Amino acid sequence: MVSDWLTNAAILIYRRLLQFYPSEFRLSYGAGMERMFREQLGEARKRSPVSSVALLFAREVWGVLRTAPAQRFANLRAWIPACERRWAGGGIVLNVLLGDVRCAVRSFTRRPGFAFTVIAQLGLGIGATTTILSAVDNVLLRKLPYPRADELVVFSNPGHSYPLYSDWRDRTNAFSTVAAVWSDGRGVGISGDGAPESLPGARVTSEFFGIFGATVRHGRLLIDSDYDGEPPGVAVISYALWQRRWGGVWGEDRTLKVDGMPTEVVGVLDPAFQVPEELVEIGVEVWLPLELPSEIAKARTWNALRVVARRKPGLSTDAAQADVDALAAILADEYPATDRLANDSPRLYRLTSLFEAMVGDVANLLYTLLGAVGMMLLIGCAN
């Protein structure tokens, strides 16, 4: 039974391999080659059903892969003189090109194995180079999808307190906008208009959406009056959550319970809006106002906020850093317990452009890979 299955599979694969030959060759010799292959299989089965069939199949496959390119190139070699006659007088460049093509065809005809190696190497080089170039274009060359993205900077320390965010917002002259976001990773629980769910959520200051140029599909974004602490609370949700729980209908009843508190959905974000994952986890579906208990809002030791800012137009990152450092020296005198280091120097906070924060060490890796695959492509072209 095994030999029958192996024989039938060998015949089917051999028939497919014959497609490598030119159509004229198959019409003249294809049927005879298949008939001879069947006869050889019959003889092989008499000797040793499995091993002989496998050995014969391997030998015939190699024969097809070795001779089919020669037949293909033979057709091409016959086509070149016709092109030369057709394009006679077409100029030196065209004649030299046809001569090079003729030389390459003859070389490949004499060494089909080498031809396959070169073609495979070229294909691999082109494919790898195209893939890495696409990654470089998407990550390093394209601008971030935010208005005036080159002005956006991140306070790169892991977390900051709310009073420190307020100091940067109110006591520096380098920034036109400063925003903060808090996402503890535990998510928020929602209920109402569907089964209860635990979803990724984040709490943001009123400036957060504006700094990234966010837009809504329905409703509005968070505004200053949403931060007065009066119930019911409000929320902005993702496009995916709106589709899932309300079927894409923007009706009048848009109330959810978020962590047990009645919350009105005031807006649905545009599906194209993306927040850098350096600031908040990917896939946030519920955005709430950042409202903290008074003891946390005043504590300089509660370092959980990520802070992003927009430099004033025309102001460099170095100038903004100098302004932040000057404020750090003042804060070290005002709050030595939290803003002064053990060596009595002020606690400094480094500014990093949003682009650098998002790319990090990936840029060096991508450029290294691009150089490597580019060299591989050059080797293929040289061959």
Side-chain angles (χ1 to χ4, degrees):
M1 292 300 177
V2 174
S3 61
D4 291 340
W5 176 86
L6 184 60
T7 301
N8 294 332
I11 294 173
L12 180 61
I13 296 174
Y14 185 77
R15 186 181 301 153
R16 295 290 184 270
L17 287 174
L18 293 179
Q19 299 298 318
F20 284 105
Y21 288 101
S23 57
E24 298 84 356
F25 185 90
R26 293 199 306 273
L27 289 175
S28 300
Y29 306 104
M33 293 175 67
E34 184 177 342
R35 183 171 58 255
M36 183 178 298
F37 181 65
R38 288 176 179 270
E39 293 174 356
Q40 291 175 338
L41 281 177
E43 295 295 329
R45 291 185 60 181
K46 294 177 181 178
R47 295 191 298 271
S48 177
V50 177
S51 59
S52 297
V53 169
L55 183 62
L56 172 66
F57 175 71
R59 186 176 69 245
E60 291 300 320
V61 167
W62 170 244
V64 171
L65 295 178
R66 182 172 53 85
T67 58
Q71 294 297 327
R72 290 282 184 181
F73 284 128
N75 289 350
L76 182 58
R77 186 165 53 186
W79 170 78
I80 290 176
C83 291
E84 290 179 331
R85 291 192 297 271
R86 182 182 304 172
W87 294 337
I92 296 177
V93 175
L94 186 58
N95 290 332
V96 170
L97 177 62
L98 287 173
D100 290 341
V101 172
R102 183 172 60 252
C103 179
V105 170
R106 288 173 178 171
S107 299
F108 287 166
T109 302
R110 289 194 299 268
R111 302 170 63 189
F114 176 73
F116 267 114
T117 302
V118 170
I119 293 172
Q121 193 173 36
L122 274 175
L124 182 61
I126 293 172
T129 304
T130 302
T131 301
I132 298 300
L133 273 176
S134 299
V136 170
D137 178 54
N138 289 329
V139 176
L140 303 179
L141 301 182
R142 292 187 183 182
K143 293 183 178 180
L144 298 179
Y146 311 117
R148 306 197 313 277
D150 57 313
E151 297 176 356
L152 297 177
V153 294
V154 176
F155 289 83
S156 56
N157 299 65
H160 309 287
S161 66
Y162 190 88
L164 190 56
Y165 149 73
S166 301
D167 290 333
W168 287 328
R169 181 191 61 192
D170 303 330
R171 302 176 64 179
T172 59
N173 297 316
F175 310 113
S176 58
T177 310
V178 181
V181 57
W182 174 42
S183 176
D184 60 5
R186 293 181 299 177
V188 296
I190 67 170
S191 58
D193 281 332
E197 295 182 79
S198 180
L199 301 175
R203 299 181 182 272
V204 298
T205 59
S206 59
E207 309 92 351
F208 185 81
F209 289 121
I211 207 170
F212 293 109
T215 57
V216 291
R217 179 60 62 92
H218 291 287
R220 62 172 176 82
L221 297 171
L222 299 176
I223 57 178
D224 291 339
S225 61
D226 295 329
Y227 292 78
D228 58 11
E230 295 294 331
V234 297
V236 173
I237 64 174
S238 68
Y239 182 86
L241 179 58
W242 173 58
Q243 291 283 342
R244 188 167 67 248
R245 294 194 76 94
W246 281 287
V249 177
W250 184 251
E252 295 183 359
D253 184 12
R254 302 184 304 274
T255 302
L256 291 172
K257 282 191 175 182
V258 178
D259 291 337
M261 299 297 295
T263 303
E264 179 187 0
V265 176
V266 296
V268 176
L269 285 171
D270 190 279
F273 175 65
Q274 298 178 351
V275 178
E277 60 182 289
E278 286 67 29
L279 297 175
V280 67
E281 63 179 306
I282 297 176
V284 170
E285 297 199 83
V286 182
W287 301 87
L288 302 165
L290 179 60
E291 297 178 295
L292 301 173
S294 60
E295 63 274 13
I296 293 180
K298 296 177 182 179
R300 303 188 75 87
T301 55
W302 184 79
N303 298 309
L305 300 182
R306 298 304 306 268
V307 181
V308 59
R310 180 179 294 279
R311 291 184 283 105
K312 289 183 177 179
L315 191 70
S316 67
T317 301
D318 290 340
Q321 182 70 68
D323 193 18
V324 172
D325 292 345
L327 176 61
I330 296 173
L331 295 177
D333 292 334
E334 295 179 357
Y335 308 101
T338 57
D339 290 76
R340 189 176 292 278
L341 299 177
N343 61 4
D344 206 37
S345 61
R347 185 181 298 277
L348 300 179
Y349 302 91
R350 187 169 65 90
L351 290 178
T352 304
S353 72
L354 180 61
F355 178 80
E356 292 179 359
M358 294 179 65
V359 173
D361 297 331
V362 174
N364 294 331
L365 175 61
L366 286 178
Y367 283 131
T368 301
L369 289 175
L370 182 61
V373 298
M375 184 62 65
M376 183 171 60
L377 179 60
L378 286 176
I379 294 173
C381 292
N383 286 336

